[in-house]
């Protein structure tokens, strides 16, 4: 079976009543997206790795694993999402130490959080992408905007009627950029990474 390389498009920070997050992977040489529902902790860890401006005052669990692996000269070479059963993705971490390769089973969210820290590529098999990948389509012929793509993804993955979902958390759109940067610094200092990720998302929209 042929492997397809994936890249991380981002994480949906839209909150639903059940607290789900959507991690969106995109095939490198194609237009399909592979959406995966992940937990809040894993979403925070992935968001921290994606946002270079956010540096935790203490290492998160995945950062600790990276420090441990570096100390013992263990390298993650790649991550492969190798199975999809009843909507659950299964992944393998391909590691190497002293030129000896090992394969370790892992939850997909953990595997991706570690892949980001090791700058390791992420792959899946073509048949999995054929089964679970989605094309983002809009009625018009123009290319969909990022907002339109996010709306489609949220509807497909979180399975919620958006009009019935009440947003949680503070509305950061009313704050100035200066205030947002100060709030981001405070959130990181207090280790509230979920809040930091939402603030950083608002800052990125304005940049």
């Amino acid at each position: 079976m042929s492997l397809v390389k994936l890249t991380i498009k981002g994480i949906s920070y839209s909150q639903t009543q059940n607290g789900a997050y959507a991690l969106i992977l995109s095939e490198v040489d194609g237009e399909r997206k592979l959406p995966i529902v992940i937990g809040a902790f894993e979403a925070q860890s992935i968001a921290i790795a994606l946002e270079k401006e956010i540096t935790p005052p203490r290492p998160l669990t995945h950062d600790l694993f990276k420090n441990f692996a570096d100390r013992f000269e263990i390298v993650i070479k790649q991550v492969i999402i190798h199975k999809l059963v009843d909507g659950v993705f299964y992944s393998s971490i391909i590691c190497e130490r002293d030129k000896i390769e090992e394969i370790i089973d892992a939850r997909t969210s953990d595997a991706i959080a570690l892949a980001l820290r090791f700058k390791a590529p992420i792959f899946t098999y073509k048949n999995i992408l054929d089964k679970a990948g989605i094309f983002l389509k809009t009625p018009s012929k123009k290319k969909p905007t990022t907002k339109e793509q996010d709306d489609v993804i949220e509807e497909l993955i979180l399975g919620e009627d958006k009009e019935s979902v009440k947003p949680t958390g503070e509305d950061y759109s009313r704050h100035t950029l200066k205030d947002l940067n100060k709030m981001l610094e405070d959130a990181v200092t207090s280790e509230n990474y979920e809040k930091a990720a939402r603030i950083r998302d608002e800052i990125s929209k304005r940049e």
Side-chain angles (χ1 to χ4, degrees), residues 6-11 13 23-25 38 41-52 60 62-63 65-66 70 75-80 93 107-123:
L6 303 170
T7 186
I8 298 176
K9 178 185 181 294
I11 300 173
Y13 297 121
L23 170 67
I24 311 302
L25 304 176
I38 62 175
F41 173 78
E42 292 77 13
Q44 291 174 30
S45 183
I46 292 171
I48 291 294
L50 288 171
E51 300 292 350
K52 304 303 181 183
L60 302 180
H62 297 107
D63 297 318
F65 182 92
K66 174 66 163 58
D70 288 343
V75 177
I76 292 180
K77 306 294 291 184
Q78 62 183 2
V79 162
I80 300 176
I93 299 174
R107 295 188 305 170
T108 297
S109 54
D110 288 328
I112 291 174
L114 290 173
L116 282 170
R117 287 161 170 82
F118 283 86
K119 296 181 172 58
I122 302 166
F123 296 93

Side-chain angles (χ1 to χ4, degrees), residues 93-111:
I93 299 174
I94 314 301
C95 304
E96 184 179 278
R97 181 174 184 266
D98 295 333
K99 298 182 180 180
I100 298 175
E101 189 173 276
E102 299 284 351
I103 300 176
I104 301 174
D105 286 333
R107 295 188 305 170
T108 297
S109 54
D110 288 328

